[in-house]
Amino acid sequence: MQRRHLLAAGGAALALPAAALDFAPPRAPAAMRVSPDRIIDIAVGIRPFRAQGPRIEAERRFGKTLVHHYGHGGSGWSLSWGSAQRALALVQAAAKPGERIAVIGCGAIDLTTARTAQQAGFKVRLYAKDRPPRVHSSAATGLWTPDSRIVASEQAGEAWAAGWEAMARASFKVHQGYLGLPSGPVEWHDGYVVSNEGFDTALPGHVGEPDYPDLHPRIADLRPLGKALEAGEHPFRAGQARRFTQLVFNIPAYQRLLLDDFARDCGELVQREFRQPRDFARLPERLVVNCTGDGARTLLGDTGMTPVRGQTARLIPQPEVDYALIYRGQNVVALPRRDGLLIAAMGEHDFGSDDLRPDRAQSEDAVRRLATLF
Ligand SMILES: Cc1cc2nc3c(=O)[nH]c(=O)nc-3n(C[C@H](O)[C@H](O)[C@H](O)COP(=O)(O)OP(=O)(O)OC[C@H]3O[C@@H](n4cnc5c(N)ncnc54)[C@H](O)[C@@H]3O)c2cc1C
């Protein structure tokens, strides 16, 4: 379980043939300055894991069409655009062209759903309890990980996996359209997976985590190749290292851009909390897209949902660091984000937890483990 998860978090290269992975690094990677006194912020968010996979389906209720669109686990940013295209097909089947629709929420799934609907000619009003940066999506790490905590193994039959693959590919394509922009919402970075054990050694899982399917081989071609490095080919104090290339999201810039684009296309944003499904009946729009993420667990009483707590810490930005680093077996991921050197680490009891209190000791421990590599 854990092993699969860490592979998904950046070890695309691990599944690929070494012979095909030959390229030289442009220069020696700059050392990360990692110490607890450089932590400038800690964010906690909840991944909306749904054992059956994301819910993307329509129902008639309260005289309206409700399109449910939630439950993207640890893959929401990665799958967002492809998933939004699936939800759009349900919208188009029930709404008149150009009609104003409601989208509930202001996270990754909600904003990309709203933009996709606007681009298809719909007017959109967003209703949300909270907006960035006070949404769970704002706490995300920012790696393209479409296979992270997205479905439990026993649910992922061939039809489901094929649908997932189509969603991942469609999403990947749209993300590429956000490259090269001044604020850098989407960027490609080299990265290293380092380990003190063999890469084939299975790692212990976290408490309560289900078995996840190995979906990566279906999209291996979308990830540029990496390779195993010899001892002299990397500067890290670790027994083994592999180099890969990875799509990275600068989350604050991406969110801001989506909000700006949404407003520019005459989108409206209303602050409102829905306490029960019946509250949807009071909206003037005939079609409502419910993108409440983990909020759907209590709002709809969806018992298939499990909250998965996650914590990210930002260290003072280090623009000279342009690579990602995954310390396999030590449960640490570091990303060269523009808003800081981002450190993500999973807590032992985070699966099933919706505790939003920051745990500074957890981030400090992760920073210290990372520091041993330099
Ligand atoms: C620590 C962490 C790291 C992650 N890393 C990655 C990563 O690297 N790559 C990746 O692809 N994904 C990652 N994810 C997963 C990704 O962030 C989620 O899948 C995604 O945020 C889900 O987006 P969402 O819009 O469904 O939910 P949310 O961001 O939770 O948005 C839900 C919206 O609905 C609103 N809402 C909820 N309930 C109500 C209500 N009752 N009434 C009114 N409004 C309501 C909220 O206010 C909010 O605006 C990570 C998540 C976490 C927590």
Side-chain angles (χ1 to χ4, degrees), residues 7-8 21 26 28 42 65 89 101 132 138 141 149 161 211 214-215 233 258 267 273 283 298-299 306 310 314 318:
L7 295 180
L21 311 179
I42 295 176
T65 300
I101 65 166
S138 299
T141 310
R149 293 193 179 88
D211 192 20
D214 186 9
L215 296 165
E233 289 184 300
L258 292 172
E273 177 165 6
L283 295 176
T298 42
L299 181 62
T306 305
R314 281 183 298 138
Q318 251 192 288

Side-chain angles (χ1 to χ4, degrees), residues 33 37 66 132 144 212 221 234 250 289 291 299 302 315 337:
R33 297 171 66 190
D37 61 339
L66 300 184
W144 193 65
Y212 300 113
D221 59 304
H234 67 88
N250 284 297
V289 191
C291 306
L299 181 62
D302 186 335
L315 274 53
R337 285 222 325 227

